[in-house]
């Protein structure tokens, strides 16, 4: 195992069977060796910094019907909400005062937020906070739409590929959603100049080790500036309610491998990881992560953006707890990086 980890750290690459062995590694000792290398590579490029982003979940309406997701269209139990432009700006103002310099606007694919409406929101944030980065996570849109939002002032876009195996993708999504379209979106985003984030869930139903190897190969080829990886967690009102959650250990192993494959990647320790694992954020940082995204959404709405059961949105996941977040990171030897936290050598602006 040591040779595989050494080679991965040196070349950013390993053979498929070696990746399979790492993903399935069951000894804690080998996992810790992998995490130590991932930390060292992260430290070399970014130091022991946690780049902090304020997450604003501004709508949970969604026209899609992803089988795993709690805000899927057919979940009649979901209490739907959408924030107004003024409410979104109020979140940004609160976040700015707390020290945040990146705002992440995430939502379901809500047709209410047409290009005109989104451009107005992005332009208003850009005008008020010229020193901040604006990250969007709005799902699949046309290239023209992505371009308009970029021109209005958005800098980054998160769109997980979910799985790099087209057949597996088809088992997680309704037939209207196709893998090729997801990839087209990611390529458009990169070509336009967004710092682009892809990513996947660990332990999603029907996923096998080969799927994960394909995910890693896909990321190697795409070279996104950001990668979001978290465990799948079932939601009780979805077709996947009875499927087990993905494992925290395997998620940490995938994060560490991605750090070694893409040394400068911006890699969040996700809320889903914190939901399945006590101290998940610190464990993520210790496996090579360098981004945290506490929740800046209004408190009364947080309980409604339920992608999965028991989603953490309070305590150390809440943006207003920055002081407690700072202390918990500091106790583990990390410090919050309060700047925009752009990708190193990536496009600015
Ligand atoms: N609509 C946008 C999109 O499709 O990218 C952004 C919102 S979407 C809900 C954000 C991410 O949540 C998805 O990319 C997916 O990986 C994750 N997610 C959804 N349901 C989940 C679940 N049950 N467990 C873990 N992650 C989940």
């Amino acid at each position: 195992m040591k040779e595989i980890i050494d080679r991965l750290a040196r070349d950013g690459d390993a053979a498929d069977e070696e990746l399979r062995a790492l993903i399935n590694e069951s000894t804690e000792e080998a996992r810790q060796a992998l995490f130590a290398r991932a930390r060292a590579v992260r430290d070399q490029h970014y130091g022991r910094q946690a780049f902090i982003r304020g997450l604003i979940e501004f709508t949970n309406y969604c026209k899609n019907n992803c089988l795993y997701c709690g805000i899927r269209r057919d979940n009649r139990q979901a209490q739907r909400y959408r924030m107004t432009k003024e409410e979104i700006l109020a979140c940004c103002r609160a976040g700015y005062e707390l020290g945040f310099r990146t705002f992440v606007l995430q939502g379901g694919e809500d047709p209410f937020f047409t290009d005109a409406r989104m451009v107005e929101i992005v332009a208003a944030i850009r005008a008020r906070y010229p020193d901040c980065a604006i990250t969007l996570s709005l799902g699949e849109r046309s290239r023209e739409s992505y371009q308009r939002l970029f021109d209005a002032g958005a800098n980054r876009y998160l769109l997980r590929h979910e799985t790099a195996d087209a057949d597996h993708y088809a088992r997680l999504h309704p037939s209207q959603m196709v893998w090729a379209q997801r990839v087209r979106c990611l390529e458009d985003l990169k070509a336009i100049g967004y710092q682009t984030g892809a990513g996947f869930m660990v332990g999603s139903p029907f996923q096998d080790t080969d799927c994960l190897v394909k995910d890693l190969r896909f990321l190697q080829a795409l070279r996104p500036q950001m990668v979001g990886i978290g465990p799948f967690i079932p939601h009780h009102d979805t077709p996947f309610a009875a499927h087990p959650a993905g494992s925290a250990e395997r998620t940490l192993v995938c994060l560490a491998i991605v750090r070694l494959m893409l040394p400068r990647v911006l890699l969040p320790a996700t809320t889903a990881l914190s939901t399945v694992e006590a101290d998940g954020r610190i464990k993520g940082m210790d496996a090579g992560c360098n981004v945290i995204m506490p929740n800046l959404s209004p408190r009364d709405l947080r309980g409604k953006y339920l992608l999965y059961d028991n989603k953490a949105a309070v305590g150390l996941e809440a943006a207003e707890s920055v002081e407690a977040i700072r202390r918990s990171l500091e106790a583990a030897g990390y410090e919050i990086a309060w700047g925009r936290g752009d990708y190193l050598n990536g496009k600015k602006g």
Side-chain angles (χ1 to χ4, degrees):
M1 205 49 71
K2 183 173 180 310
E3 304 85 80
I4 301 177
I5 297 170
D6 284 347
R7 193 162 48 259
L8 197 51
R10 193 187 60 226
D11 305 340
D13 203 9
D16 283 2
E17 62 272 20
E18 295 176 326
L19 292 176
R20 272 195 289 272
L22 272 181
I23 292 166
N24 291 323
E25 178 54 52
S26 57
T27 72
E28 188 57 23
E29 196 189 338
R31 275 202 296 267
Q32 288 304 331
L34 173 68
F35 300 159
R37 293 307 283 267
R39 280 200 295 280
V41 169
R42 188 263 330 273
D43 291 355
Q44 191 185 327
H45 294 286
Y46 290 102
R48 291 181 69 86
Q49 300 191 87
F51 296 100
I52 194 161
R53 326 302 198 187
L55 178 62
I56 304 171
E57 295 161 336
F58 69 101
T59 174
N60 70 353
Y61 282 88
C62 192
K63 67 178 167 63
N64 287 338
N65 228 355
C66 308
L67 276 75
Y68 45 84
C69 187
I71 62 169
R72 66 199 301 270
R73 186 192 63 211
D74 285 355
N75 180 7
R76 307 269 172 248
Q77 304 307 318
Q79 292 177 45
R80 304 287 170 175
Y81 72 88
R82 60 171 68 95
M83 288 165 61
T84 63
K85 181 177 104 180
E86 287 66 36
E87 286 169 332
I88 295 170
L89 285 168
C91 283
C92 294
R93 185 166 59 244
Y96 194 87
E97 282 164 14
L98 287 166
F100 288 82
R101 294 296 178 269
T102 290
F103 304 120
V104 181
L105 268 57
Q106 187 180 92
E109 288 195 24
D110 180 355
F112 175 85
F113 288 102
T114 56
D115 285 357
R117 288 196 172 104
M118 273 323 297
V119 163
E120 205 186 313
I121 292 166
V122 171
I125 300 174
R126 173 55 57 238
R128 283 187 204 187
Y129 304 104
D131 53 334
C132 292
I134 302 172
T135 305
L136 300 177
S137 180
L138 318 173
E140 297 176 14
R141 298 173 86 98
S142 67
R143 175 158 184 160
E144 295 68 40
S145 172
Y146 289 147
Q147 185 70 56
R148 282 186 200 116
L149 297 170
F150 187 81
D151 294 342
N155 314 101
R156 308 182 188 141
Y157 204 104
L158 304 175
L159 183 76
R160 290 184 176 180
H161 62 280
E162 310 297 1
T163 170
D165 180 303
D167 294 333
H168 185 216
Y169 192 90
R171 299 182 79 181
L172 301 180
H173 299 96
S175 56
Q176 297 86 334
M177 291 180 74
V178 285
W179 156 245
Q181 173 71 359
R182 201 82 176 168
V183 178
R184 195 275 303 154
C185 289
L186 283 164
E187 284 167 353
D188 286 349
L189 290 163
K190 274 203 88 179
I192 289 168
Y194 281 97
Q195 291 175 44
T196 302
F200 57 93
M201 290 177 286
V202 173
S204 58
F206 321 116
Q207 181 184 68
D208 58 19
T209 311
D210 286 342
C211 290
L212 288 169
V213 171
K214 281 189 192 168
D215 285 322
L216 296 167
R217 295 281 176 232
F218 176 79
L219 293 172
Q220 265 184 320
L222 182 71
R223 305 201 71 75
Q225 288 85 4
M226 304 174 284
V227 171
I229 299 175
F232 159 77
I233 305 172
H235 182 290
H236 61 280
D237 286 319
T238 62
F240 290 161
H243 285 265
S247 103
E249 283 77 24
R250 208 174 234 217
T251 303
L252 292 167
V253 165
C254 289
L255 288 165
I257 296 175
V258 168
R259 168 62 62 207
L260 296 178
M261 285 180 155
L262 304 171
R264 286 194 287 246
V265 77
L266 291 163
L267 193 62
T270 55
T271 305
L273 180 58
S274 295
T275 301
V276 296
E277 181 80 3
D279 240 1
R281 181 180 284 154
I282 300 296
K283 288 190 174 142
M285 292 294 297
D286 284 345
C289 291
N290 61 344
V291 173
I292 59 171
M293 283 204 237
N295 201 311
L296 255 185
S297 312
R299 250 170 289 184
D300 57 320
L301 298 181
R302 282 182 206 165
K304 297 184 179 163
Y305 196 82
L306 281 186
L307 310 180
Y308 43 81
D309 290 340
N310 306 316
K311 179 168 166 262
V314 293
L316 295 183
E317 290 300 318
E320 65 275 11
S321 310
V322 277
E323 185 47 30
I325 294 171
R326 189 192 65 73
R327 277 198 305 271
S328 86
L329 286 165
E330 197 182 80
Y334 297 103
E335 62 174 3
I336 294 182
W338 285 105
R340 281 174 43 129
D342 285 289
Y343 180 74
L344 277 182
N345 299 336
K347 286 179 193 266
K348 305 250 165 149

